[in-house]
Amino acid sequence: MQFRDLKKQYTVLKEEMDQAILDVVASSAYVMGPKIKEMELAFADYVGVKHCIACNSGTDALLLALKAWGVKPGDAVFVPSFTFFASAEVIAMQGATPVFVDVDPVTFNIDVNDLDAKIKRVIDRGVLTPKVVIAVDLFGLPADFEAVRRVADRYRLYVLEDAAQGFGGRIGSENACTFGDISTTSFFPAKPVGCYGDGGAVFTNNDEWAALIESYHIHGKGSDRYDNVRIGMNSRLDSLQAAILLVKLKAFKDFELVDVNTVANRYTEKLSGVVTTPVVPDGFYSSWAQYTIQLADKETRYALQAALKENDIPTAIYYPIPMHRQTAFCDLDLSDNQCPVSDLLADRVLSLPIHPYLTETDQDRICEVIRSFMSLSQPKK
Ligand SMILES: *Cc1c(COP(=O)(O)O)cnc(C)c1O
């Protein structure tokens, strides 16, 4: 069994995919060809935002957003502690200081009360300037952006939506990748919409920031191709990946997003009362980048993981070490940067196989192993 069955997906999309790839190969337009514009328009249209700039990874997409805002040493950027390293890494890459915020124990997303408290503390200390809050749509569920926005507006911070896992999610009728002043996503193969390598995109309605990001992602280009007006990066998306993404987006819209939600709902039906299942709040829709359950403690989590492995069922732990405990950040003064919920989740979470092509037979087998493990591990009365 696969954790995320990309091979199965390829066999389903093969005919269209092979043609799309061969067309680019035959065109010889490998870098910044017409496929890039086509892909950017299709993704901007799907999301419902004015500008989409394709780039080389979800990490670069975050970095480009911070560059557009001129984030620099002395700035504080608030980021959840329970996330993938890249969300926080980009802050340090700009020379700014990450301030780690705890997450909600139910949604796994940024806790706005802790955000408010952490911003206040930075202001009280008077050393750093609060500049940006990065809210992550963890495991596919959009963060509570209405609440994030309220706090951000109070302190005049930019909101950056890290939708690397959130593409396809919604709040009401609004799509993920529209909630930030700038929003970003990743096309890493295992994300909700992935390409066949690294890729990412930046989304915004702001013309000025879009123009800056367009420039930054191609060596700080100016209007003259060989007059570079700022120091930028080489972060173009390959035309091949753009062609692949156009095929993937179509499948995602046509059936994959709905199918992965069916799989998730079925898990919840079969596992609620057995383990702690993920919760999607009213009005929210998840793209289910991960289906993450919680166990009572670390020992139970690892024992269940081993039991599943014995039955040839792959699982993953996202994430075993929160940001405020990462070695790379050990030089930061984190004495007043507590994130107890992130610590707790790091010990308790376990992500199960999930993708649109997971069969009911495989899913039943997974649930059966979990059920029998949990019934055996119940404390004896
Ligand atoms: C994957 C991921 C990224 C980075 O995306 P890459 O394309 O791998 O660079 C950033 N943030 C989150 C939350 C992610 O899951």
Side-chain angles (χ1 to χ4, degrees):
M1 197 184 299
Q2 300 284 310
F3 187 70
R4 190 169 180 89
D5 200 343
L6 297 171
K7 226 177 239 177
K8 175 72 193 292
Q9 184 193 43
Y10 173 65
T11 59
V12 171
L13 306 177
K14 184 175 187 330
E15 208 172 312
E16 216 181 331
M17 191 60 89
D18 289 356
Q19 194 55 55
I21 290 170
L22 284 175
D23 285 350
V24 174
V25 174
S27 79
S28 84
Y30 305 133
V31 176
M32 297 311 282
K35 276 291 159 201
I36 297 293
K37 267 282 150 292
E38 193 185 333
M39 173 267 166
E40 288 176 338
L41 285 173
F43 276 75
D45 180 65
Y46 174 80
V47 163
V49 82
K50 196 167 170 193
H51 302 284
C52 166
I53 300 108
C55 65
N56 198 251
S57 69
T59 306
D60 280 4
L62 290 165
L63 190 61
L64 285 161
L66 297 184
K67 283 187 183 297
W69 289 332
V71 170
K72 58 184 189 304
D75 290 339
V77 177
F78 300 84
V79 64
S81 185
F82 193 61
T83 182
F84 178 61
F85 187 63
S87 312
E89 181 181 29
V90 293
I91 301 164
M93 283 171 84
Q94 280 299 101
T97 302
V99 179
F100 303 115
V101 180
D102 213 357
V103 295
D104 181 277
V106 173
T107 64
F108 308 135
N109 282 329
I110 195 163
D111 173 344
V112 292
N113 294 321
D114 193 47
L115 172 63
D116 191 271
K118 297 261 162 81
I119 297 170
K120 277 201 188 105
R121 200 167 310 166
V122 167
I123 293 171
D124 285 349
R125 285 192 158 194
V127 179
L128 301 169
T129 310
K131 190 85 182 255
V132 177
V133 50
I134 301 179
V136 180
D137 300 338
L138 204 73
F139 304 151
L141 179 70
D144 183 354
F145 280 98
E146 209 181 287
V148 170
R149 184 64 71 179
R150 261 199 307 274
V151 177
D153 284 352
R154 193 175 304 148
Y155 301 100
R156 296 168 193 268
L157 306 188
Y158 292 125
V159 176
L160 175 51
E161 178 191 10
D162 180 354
Q165 302 177 16
F167 190 89
R170 294 197 290 269
I171 306 175
S173 58
E174 301 291 310
N175 284 317
C177 299
T178 65
F179 301 121
D181 295 305
I182 299 179
S183 301
T184 62
T185 199
S186 163
F187 301 125
F188 181 80
K191 306 285 166 142
V193 174
C195 58
Y196 291 165
D198 278 308
V202 187
F203 300 90
T204 185
N205 283 316
N206 184 295
D207 297 338
E208 188 193 332
W209 298 333
L212 280 169
I213 290 162
E214 178 66 32
S215 166
Y216 274 121
H217 95 301
I218 308 182
H219 302 292
K221 70 174 179 173
S223 46
D224 179 319
R225 195 169 162 185
Y226 292 103
D227 183 24
N228 300 73
V229 297
R230 54 183 65 82
I231 302 300
M233 323 160 45
N234 176 2
S235 187
R236 298 169 296 227
L237 183 75
D238 290 336
S239 300
L240 265 175
Q241 303 297 358
I244 289 159
L245 284 165
L246 282 163
V247 177
K248 291 272 199 127
L249 179 63
K250 187 164 171 291
F252 188 74
K253 284 197 284 194
D254 286 353
F255 60 94
E256 283 187 354
L257 181 58
V258 171
D259 288 357
V260 81
N261 269 273
T262 305
V263 171
N265 292 337
R266 204 158 174 277
Y267 263 141
T268 301
E269 226 169 79
K270 293 190 170 278
L271 293 177
S272 58
V274 180
V275 292
T276 305
T277 52
V279 173
V280 177
D282 274 352
F284 285 64
Y285 188 77
S286 176
S287 60
W288 296 106
Q290 302 298 339
Y291 188 91
T292 303
I293 59 170
Q294 290 181 62
L295 290 311
D297 50 43
K298 214 174 188 168
E299 291 67 38
T300 315
R301 188 256 309 270
Y302 282 123
L304 173 59
Q305 184 175 42
L308 286 159
K309 191 170 179 211
E310 254 169 51
N311 285 275
D312 194 31
I313 297 165
T315 57
I317 295 170
Y318 300 123
Y319 296 93
I321 306 175
M323 292 307 111
H324 68 288
R325 300 198 183 279
Q326 293 283 332
T327 307
F329 294 127
C330 67
D331 289 345
L332 293 174
D333 174 15
L334 296 171
S335 48
D336 61 357
N337 206 179
Q338 309 296 312
C339 298
V341 177
S342 301
D343 284 330
L344 211 66
L345 290 175
D347 286 347
R348 292 185 174 178
V349 289
L350 185 67
S351 297
L352 304 179
I354 191 161
H355 56 86
Y357 304 92
L358 188 66
T359 63
E360 291 195 353
T361 315
D362 280 350
Q363 204 180 10
D364 287 346
R365 205 159 68 72
I366 298 164
C367 295
E368 201 34 61
V369 174
I370 296 173
R371 278 177 166 283
S372 78
F373 172 89
M374 291 309 291
S375 69
L376 290 174
S377 75
Q378 291 306 316
K380 308 271 178 298
K381 293 252 162 66

